[in-house]
Amino acid sequence: MATRRIKPSLYISVDIEADGPIPGPYSMLSFGAAVAGRQDADGFTAADPEEQTFYRELRPISDEFVPEALAVSGLDRERLVREGAEPGVALAEFSEWVRQVSVGAQPVMCGYPAMYDWTFLYWYLIRFTGASPFGHSGCLDMKTLYATKAALPLRAVAKGTMPRDLLSRRRHTHHALDDAVEQAELLANLMAWQGSASARLPE
C-alpha cells in the first residue's frame, strides 16, 4: 500500500489585543503574526521570527468595551474608530499573507496560550472573510505543548514554572507583533526541548 504523503506544518505565531473577553460584543483591536518555523518528517526548523511578519490595527466593531481589557493593550480606541483598518480588508490581507508564506505546507496558528487569540482570530476570519486559512482546527497551544513535555498538570503551568532557557529574552510588551515574535522564539525553544526533570510545580 502506498504511503500517504503528509504535508509539512508551517507554524505561525499569532497574538491579538482585544477590548473584551469574547468577539462579537467586543472587538479585536490589533493582531500580529510571525512565522516561527516549519516541521516535516525530519523535524522542526526554526525561522527568524522577524523575517516574515504581519501586523494590523483594526476599527472596533461595536461600542462596547471593558476598560481593563483596553488598558492592557495601551491602544487608543477613539483613534482606531477613525483610523483602524476595516476588519474585512485586514483579514483578507492576512489570509493572503498566510497563503503566501505557507506555500507547500499547512499553516498552523500557535500561541501562548492559544485559546483566547484563536477564538478572536477564527471568529473574525469566518465573520469577515468566510474562511480560515488554518481550517477549523489548525491551532497549537504552547502551554499544552510545554505541559506535555514537562509531564505537568496543565493548570499548574505558567511561564514562571518554565526553565529560563526556554523563554524568549524579549520583553512581553502587549504590542501584538512584539508578542507574536516573542512567542515564535518560545515555540522554537519548546520544539527543540526534550523535556526535563527540572520542570517544577509552583510552590
Side-chain angles (χ1 to χ4, degrees), residues 10 12 35 38 52-54 56 92-107 133-134:
L10 193 283
I12 299 174
V35 173
R38 183 183 179 100
Q52 293 178 295
T53 63
F54 187 96
R56 290 291 185 276
E93 291 171 346
F94 175 66
S95 294
E96 179 57 29
W97 177 82
V98 171
R99 283 189 282 270
Q100 289 176 3
V101 299
S102 61
V103 170
Q106 293 179 314
F134 305 104

Side-chain angles (χ1 to χ4, degrees), residues 16-30 58-78 80-81 116 120 124:
I16 73 101
E17 298 296 330
D19 61 13
I22 57 172
Y26 304 102
S27 304
M28 181 166 72
L29 300 180
S30 68
L58 305 177
R59 178 183 57 76
I61 59 172
S62 82
D63 294 331
E64 295 184 53
F65 65 94
V66 177
E68 294 81 2
L70 179 61
V72 169
S73 70
L75 291 166
D76 182 337
R77 200 172 190 280
E78 291 184 4
L80 293 178
V81 170
Y116 181 76
F120 272 89
Y124 264 70

Side-chain angles (χ1 to χ4, degrees), residues 178-190:
D178 289 349
D179 291 353
V181 170
E182 177 208 359
Q183 290 178 166
E185 292 183 342
L186 173 60
L187 178 70
N189 293 339
L190 284 171

Side-chain angles (χ1 to χ4, degrees), residues 143-190:
K143 190 171 184 177
T144 303
L145 177 61
Y146 173 76
T148 302
K149 287 194 168 192
L152 290 174
L154 181 64
R155 295 301 294 270
V157 172
K159 285 185 179 178
T161 70
M162 293 184 176
R164 287 180 176 243
D165 57 354
L166 286 181
L167 301 175
S168 171
R169 294 183 180 180
R170 300 173 189 267
R171 282 194 319 117
H172 193 78
T173 65
H174 292 290
H175 181 286
L177 183 54
D178 289 349
D179 291 353
V181 170
E182 177 208 359
Q183 290 178 166
E185 292 183 342
L186 173 60
L187 178 70
N189 293 339
L190 284 171

